[in-house]
Amino acid sequence: MDLWQQVLLGAGGGLLVELVDFYNRVAAWRQARRAQASDASHRFRDYFDIGPDFAVALTRAVLGATAAAAFGAGKQAEGVAGLLAVGACAPVLLAQLGQTPAGPDNPPPGTAVPGEVVAAPRARPAEAEGNSASGR
């Protein structure tokens, strides 16, 4: 599959998520209007903010295209369904790139490693002086 096809499928996956979100908000708007048919307070604009919604959709499309191109080039994802899925979950996938899981060679922060000297936490001045509020 060519790069431009991977990019389009990834962008389509990102926009697919936005389409589902749009559908959910339209359904909520319709339900609110039906619940109070005589009240005209449920306006379309109350459920949608065109500027930010467009910005989120554009960002999702770009993230989806980028992730699909990267995963497609590395043969990590192939086919229409695979690239659509990569595009749909691109924000989560790309957020994971900067995180490394804890393992034997990479313990979680604050864990003592054999042979490593860990400094004891410093006491706050109120605790060091025996503050009466702490029961000392």
Side-chain angles (χ1 to χ4, degrees):
M1 188 175 292
D2 293 332
L3 178 64
W4 68 270
Q5 292 171 316
Q6 294 170 350
V7 167
L8 286 179
L9 285 170
L15 291 176
L16 187 62
V17 173
E18 282 303 305
L19 187 60
V20 170
D21 181 54
F22 180 78
Y23 167 78
N24 288 334
R25 286 191 275 162
V26 168
W29 173 58
R30 180 185 66 188
Q31 186 175 4
R33 286 177 51 97
R34 286 183 179 171
Q36 298 175 351
S38 63
D39 187 10
S41 66
H42 297 288
R43 295 177 305 196
F44 187 77
R45 290 186 320 193
D46 294 338
Y47 288 79
F48 301 94
D49 194 356
I50 301 300
D53 289 344
F54 178 75
V56 168
L58 181 64
T59 303
R60 273 199 179 272
V62 169
L63 288 173
T66 303
F71 278 75
K75 303 292 186 210
Q76 300 294 318
E78 293 181 357
V80 174
L83 292 169
L84 278 173
V86 166
C89 56
V92 175
L93 286 173
L94 295 174
Q96 294 294 321
L97 289 178
Q99 301 174 358
T100 28
D105 297 331
N106 188 19
T111 305
V113 176
E116 180 180 316
V117 177
V118 178
R122 294 182 15 186
R124 293 183 290 186
E127 292 172 350
E129 296 172 6
N131 188 350
S132 62
S134 65
R136 292 184 190 181

